[in-house]
Amino acid sequence: MQVTKAHGCGNDFILIADLGDVLDVDAEMVRALCDRHRGLGGDGVIRIAPPRDATSDVFMDYRNADGGVVEMCGNGVRCVATYLLNRFLLRGDEVRVGSRAGLKTVGVTARDGRGRVIETEVDMGAPHPTGTITLHVPTADGHDVRVLEATTVSMGNPHAVIDVEDVAKAPVTEWGPRIERDPAFPDGTNVEFITVPDEDTVRGRIWERGVGETLASGTGASAMAVAAHLAGRAGRDVRVEVPGGVLHVRWLPDTLVIRGPAVEVFDADVDDVWLDAVVHG
């Protein structure tokens, strides 16, 4: 099986082209591929499948590292476009990608000296802020409860954004998994922690549902920008600085656009013996 490793600001994926729609990429295979010690390592696996309707060029069948099916991935969808255009599977500077969160149009914003795509932007559609929620998060020792206010935003997938004094010191790995599984979120949620130093900049860290702390997230960066603007602390066109780099988010009157790097790392053939052991145990 041929695969490609790609990332957007360190948010990394295993891409599997299945334009013939013949592969069964199930949860067990995804967990094995994403294992950073025994597999290839990644935050998720994207099967690039045939389009499901006439409006799209391909369908993005995405699962997070834990094998769970996910609605949308803002960095992943940009990597899909890079993959297709760099192999001339599609022509031009635009790719229409179908997803469980609807159609997403990705456009090329930069190419290298050889003409290969290195940066893209995606129209994510309109964000849906759903209000604020008070969370009661137990401390690590279980002897106390921290009361937190979160702004909830849907980008086709759920997000809870928490403003903190210093994002570098935020206890992401302590609070993240507790909030992800809080009863307020029956299907779980992605969790973002932000600091807003000025109206043009949002700094954040991400706890991704089904993955853990990640270096970047496209939908997460979008939710962070929306939450910062709604709090009156940032404009609608901001740099979102995450541990893996910078994503540019523009919240327009009727949609939201993310721009950033989409980088291919390597192509590989997965060993048949390893794959057979994963599939058949």
Side-chain angles (χ1 to χ4, degrees):
M1 183 174 71
Q2 292 185 324
V3 301
T4 297
K5 181 74 174 285
H7 75 89
C9 286
N11 190 194
D12 57 343
F13 313 98
I14 307 300
L15 308 183
I16 303 173
D18 184 25
L19 298 176
D21 205 19
V22 296
L23 297 177
D24 179 18
V25 182
D26 62 10
E28 185 177 12
M29 183 184 293
V30 168
R31 288 192 292 269
L33 287 168
C34 290
D35 189 303
R36 295 194 181 275
H37 301 286
R38 298 179 176 86
L40 293 173
D43 292 328
V45 171
I46 302 172
R47 184 177 70 96
I48 304 174
R52 294 187 174 180
D53 56 52
T55 66
S56 57
D57 298 310
V58 293
F59 180 79
M60 183 178 79
D61 181 12
Y62 180 60
R63 288 179 182 261
N64 267 340
D66 68 347
V69 173
V70 179
E71 304 89 346
M72 169 46 45
C73 177
N75 285 326
V77 72
R78 296 187 307 99
C79 288
V80 167
T82 295
Y83 177 94
L84 294 167
L85 293 173
N86 281 347
R87 286 160 181 76
F88 304 104
L89 295 171
L90 293 172
R91 299 285 181 172
D93 287 329
E94 186 174 280
V95 180
R96 301 169 302 165
V97 183
S99 76
R100 293 181 178 86
L103 180 69
K104 307 299 177 187
T105 301
V106 184
V108 176
T109 52
R111 295 178 182 265
D112 65 15
R114 297 177 297 165
R116 290 174 59 84
V117 177
I118 56 173
E119 183 188 79
T120 58
E121 67 177 13
V122 56
D123 183 340
M124 294 294 293
H128 296 285
T130 50
T132 59
I133 187 170
T134 300
L135 301 169
H136 297 84
V137 181
T139 56
D141 59 15
H143 296 314
D144 201 359
V145 172
R146 175 83 65 173
V147 179
L148 302 172
E149 293 293 324
T151 300
T152 55
V153 180
S154 173
M155 291 302 308
N157 58 353
H159 295 267
V161 184
I162 298 166
D163 198 332
V164 296
E165 185 174 345
D166 184 352
V167 73
K169 297 179 180 178
V172 174
T173 57
E174 178 188 340
W175 292 355
R178 288 174 167 80
I179 298 170
E180 175 192 353
R181 297 188 292 268
D182 190 280
F185 308 106
D187 298 320
T189 188
N190 301 285
V191 189
E192 287 81 33
F193 301 84
I194 64 169
T195 299
V196 187
D198 58 64
E199 66 177 11
D200 299 319
T201 309
V202 178
R203 294 188 183 128
R205 290 168 64 190
I206 306 109
W207 179 269
E208 188 169 350
R209 178 182 57 169
V211 180
E213 185 170 7
T214 57
L215 295 181
S217 166
T219 57
S222 303
M224 288 188 269
V226 168
H229 179 74
L230 291 176
R233 301 183 62 196
R236 284 179 169 261
D237 189 341
V238 297
R239 286 168 47 95
V240 179
E241 300 175 355
V242 292
V246 176
L247 292 165
H248 298 267
V249 179
R250 287 180 292 136
W251 186 9
L252 304 171
D254 57 354
T255 193
L256 182 146
V257 177
I258 312 167
R259 175 171 56 87
V263 180
E264 293 189 30
V265 182
F266 61 76
D267 296 321
D269 289 316
V270 177
D271 186 88
D272 289 340
V273 174
W274 181 90
L275 187 61
D276 188 63
V278 170
V279 173
H280 302 296

